[in-house]
Amino acid sequence: MSIQGQITDANISEILHPEVQTLDLQSCDISDTALLHLCNCRKLKKLNLSSSKENRMSITSKGIKAVASSCSHLREASLKRCCRLTDEGVLALALNCQLLKILDLGGCLGITDVSLHALGENCPFLQCVDFSATQVSDNGVAALVSGPCAKKLELEPSKRLQLPSNPLQGRLPNTGRSLLSLEKSEKPRFHCSSRYMA
């Protein structure tokens, strides 16, 4: 369901119903208040809250926690530039939405290694995660690829990377698969996909 830019906190309850599976709120002026209305959308599988132009200040961990507690069938969540989202919100997603396959956290400045630890431990179906422009370090990446999703994840740098020498020993832990060669130049940004490396 998508009504480009027309959904607000005031009218979201008018368009929601229990059978909604996809909700695109990318261009909509909403806040955590709107997300509290998703409690009846228990079949929701795909949610887009990304901001395409500027940081979205009105979505916080409080709203994401409300979504996570009600929408356990969530498979995709796009939260790009929801810059007030913290590890607390991602932890709620990891614990309550264990069917997650795709998660976009790009530009969520409050995200740290804690989020990737939680995702790695709790989301075995995770195939793709964007954590560009976050505070994630090599330790977070190592935790992510050490979890049960390691067999589905492949790390692909979508930009050149600045990493210390021998990051992750050059191999995905517990898989025997090697990481793509990583070149030095700027902050890590990974795209994870379900393709296996040769």
Side-chain angles (χ1 to χ4, degrees), residues 138-152:
D138 290 350
N139 291 332
V141 177
L144 178 66
V145 299
S146 295
C149 65
K151 292 180 178 148
K152 295 189 180 347

Side-chain angles (χ1 to χ4, degrees), residues 100 116 119-127 143-154 175 177 193:
L100 267 177
L116 267 61
L119 292 167
E121 290 175 5
N122 297 289
C123 298
F125 303 105
L126 195 63
Q127 297 173 358
L144 178 66
V145 299
S146 295
C149 65
K151 292 180 178 148
K152 295 189 180 347
L153 284 173
E154 174 185 305
T175 66
R177 294 182 288 147
S193 72

Side-chain angles (χ1 to χ4, degrees), residues 101-133:
K101 291 183 176 182
I102 299 170
L103 181 59
D104 187 348
L105 299 170
C108 297
L109 306 175
I111 301 304
T112 70
D113 293 343
V114 172
S115 289
L116 267 61
H117 279 267
L119 292 167
E121 290 175 5
N122 297 289
C123 298
F125 303 105
L126 195 63
Q127 297 173 358
C128 180
V129 61
D130 179 353
F131 47 87
S132 59

Side-chain angles (χ1 to χ4, degrees), residues 35-195:
L35 299 184
L36 298 177
H37 291 283
L38 298 182
C39 64
N40 292 324
C41 300
R42 299 198 180 275
K43 294 183 179 182
L44 190 66
K45 292 182 180 176
K46 185 175 182 179
L47 178 63
N48 186 353
L49 298 173
S50 294
S51 175
S52 58
K53 296 180 182 176
E54 55 193 43
N55 289 339
R56 188 184 286 259
M57 303 299 290
S58 56
I59 302 292
T60 70
S61 291
K62 178 183 176 185
I64 299 305
K65 285 169 58 178
V67 169
S69 67
S70 300
C71 306
S72 62
H73 296 288
L74 201 62
R75 306 271 198 301
E76 295 182 32
S78 297
L79 307 172
K80 189 173 196 123
R81 294 191 187 99
C82 292
C83 62
R84 293 186 58 207
L85 178 64
T86 64
D87 293 325
E88 185 179 7
V90 177
L91 180 60
L93 286 172
L95 293 174
N96 297 303
C97 304
Q98 296 184 352
L99 299 175
L100 267 177
K101 291 183 176 182
I102 299 170
L103 181 59
D104 187 348
L105 299 170
C108 297
L109 306 175
I111 301 304
T112 70
D113 293 343
V114 172
S115 289
L116 267 61
H117 279 267
L119 292 167
E121 290 175 5
N122 297 289
C123 298
F125 303 105
L126 195 63
Q127 297 173 358
C128 180
V129 61
D130 179 353
F131 47 87
S132 59
T134 65
Q135 298 180 50
V136 170
S137 73
D138 290 350
N139 291 332
V141 177
L144 178 66
V145 299
S146 295
C149 65
K151 292 180 178 148
K152 295 189 180 347
L153 284 173
E154 174 185 305
L155 297 180
E156 296 178 16
S158 56
K159 289 185 164 187
R160 301 262 185 233
L161 305 172
Q162 179 178 346
L163 298 170
S165 60
N166 298 323
L168 306 180
Q169 305 291 321
R171 301 203 89 38
L172 293 173
N174 304 321
T175 66
R177 294 182 288 147
S178 63
L179 288 171
L180 296 173
S181 63
L182 305 175
E183 297 185 33
K184 297 179 180 181
S185 81
E186 56 185 277
K187 186 160 174 90
R189 175 182 166 147
F190 293 99
H191 168 74
C192 302
S193 72
S194 60
R195 293 187 316 246

Side-chain angles (χ1 to χ4, degrees), residues 18-29:
E19 299 299 315
V20 171
Q21 292 187 21
T22 300
L23 192 55
D24 185 350
L25 301 171
Q26 181 173 355
S27 301
C28 300
D29 184 22

